[in-house]
Structure formats: structure tokens, C-alpha cells
């Protein structure tokens, strides 16, 4: 069972532009999920997914680290008891920014649930990276 999901993406956007997109509630809400979020250590955030046939999914957690270009928070899906960790790290590159995303602790889920959650999170983070990419492209085109 894999315990860690890792994603990498290079953007042609300045590091501060990408940082704002992953750390400010209004921007997170624009490309990812409705967010009550502050990139401040100790802040207890809530992400609320759009209602669907299964109802609303609520994700909660606490910001553990927020340094320039590194953001770490816990991740707890409302109906589950397990808490995992999400880490975002940004590095400047020639002409842009490299994003590293890591979601760890998935083996805390028991048995088949761990496999299902890994698959769900893995696909979900792919969708998030796509959403972030599209969001940043729109900002550039709008400006």
C-alpha cells in the first residue's frame, strides 16, 4: 500500500503568483474548493465541496507550517476519523515556479479503505493541479 501521493508541476508563473493561489482563501475557492483558510500556523480551516448526489464533503484541518513557499496542513475528511497531511512546496525556476505536492499518511485508513482513499486522493490531486493550471492561465490572460 502506497502511503504518499506526490505530484510535481512546473508553472511559467512567478512564485508569489502561485503561492497566492494555494494560500489565499478567495483564490483556493476559485480553482479548488470553497475555502475558509488562512496560511497561518494554528489556523483551523474548512474546505466545503459543492453538494452532489452524496451530499456535501467537508474537509477540515490545522495549518502546521506556513513559511515562504512551504505550506503544511492536516487533512481530515468529515465522515472519517483518520487525519493525513498535505504539503505544498514551491521553488523558483528559470522563468517560473516548480510546485511539489505531497499527501501523506494515507495508510492510517484501515484495509481496503486505504486503497480506495489513495485512489480517490490521487485522482483528486490530479484534478486539483489541472484546476490550478487553468486558473493561473486565466489570470495571465485576464491581465
Amino acid at each position: 500500500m502506497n502511503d504518499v501521493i506526490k505530484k510535481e508541476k512546473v508553472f511559467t508563473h512567478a512564485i508569489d503568483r502561485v503561492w497566492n493561489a494555494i494560500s489565499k482563501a478567495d483564490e483556493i475557492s476559485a480553482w479548488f474548493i470553497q475555502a475558509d483558510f488562512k496560511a497561518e500556523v494554528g489556523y483551523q480551516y474548512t474546505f466545503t465541496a459543492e453538494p452532489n448526489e452524496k451530499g456535501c464533503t467537508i474537509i477540515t484541518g490545522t495549518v502546521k507550517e506556513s513559511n515562504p513557499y512551504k505550506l503544511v496542513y492536516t487533512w481530515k475528511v468529515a465522515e472519517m476519523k483518520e487525519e493525513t497531511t498535505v504539503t505544498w512546496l514551491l521553488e523558483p525556476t528559470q522563468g517560473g515556479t516548480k510546485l511539489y505536492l505531497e499527501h501523506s499518511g494515507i495508510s492510517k485508513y484501515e484495509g481496503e479503505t486505504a486503497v480506495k482513499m489513495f485512489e480517490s486522493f490521487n485522482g483528486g490531486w490530479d484534478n486539483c493541479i489541472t484546476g490550478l493550471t487553468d486558473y493561473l492561465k486565466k489570470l495571465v490572460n485576464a491581465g
Side-chain angles (χ1 to χ4, degrees):
M1 163 68 217
N2 285 331
D3 185 55
V4 180
I5 295 167
K6 293 182 179 183
K7 306 290 180 186
E8 292 182 15
K9 175 74 177 173
V10 176
F11 295 97
T12 58
H13 307 281
I15 196 167
D16 288 327
R17 177 70 258 144
V18 180
W19 176 253
N20 288 341
I22 67 168
S23 67
K24 296 191 176 293
D26 59 331
E27 295 200 37
I28 296 167
S29 297
W31 65 267
F32 177 39
I33 193 169
Q34 186 61 42
D36 170 9
F37 187 88
K38 291 182 184 175
E40 299 171 1
V41 173
Y43 191 80
Q44 295 184 343
Y45 75 87
T46 303
F47 292 155
T48 307
E50 293 293 319
N52 60 28
E53 64 278 355
K54 296 178 183 177
C56 245
T57 298
I58 297 175
I59 298 153
T60 58
T62 303
V63 177
K64 296 296 186 183
E65 186 176 345
S66 181
N67 299 315
Y69 315 126
K70 184 175 183 184
L71 181 61
V72 180
Y73 48 83
T74 60
W75 179 276
K76 184 176 178 293
V77 179
E79 62 273 9
M80 309 298 276
K81 65 180 183 338
E82 295 80 6
E83 186 176 79
T84 57
T85 302
V86 174
T87 302
W88 300 85
L89 178 64
L90 304 179
E91 292 179 355
T93 63
Q94 185 74 19
T97 303
K98 187 166 190 177
L99 176 143
Y100 298 92
L101 169 67
E102 182 177 291
H103 190 161
S104 61
I106 300 164
S107 64
K108 291 178 183 178
Y109 292 96
E110 294 182 12
E112 282 300 306
T113 301
V115 173
K116 290 177 184 173
M117 294 306 280
F118 185 90
E119 291 171 358
S120 175
F121 290 149
N122 193 43
W125 289 120
D126 285 339
N127 291 337
C128 288
I129 298 293
T130 298
L132 177 58
T133 302
D134 292 346
Y135 174 74
L136 291 168
K137 284 180 185 175
K138 285 179 190 172
L139 287 181
V140 169
N141 292 335

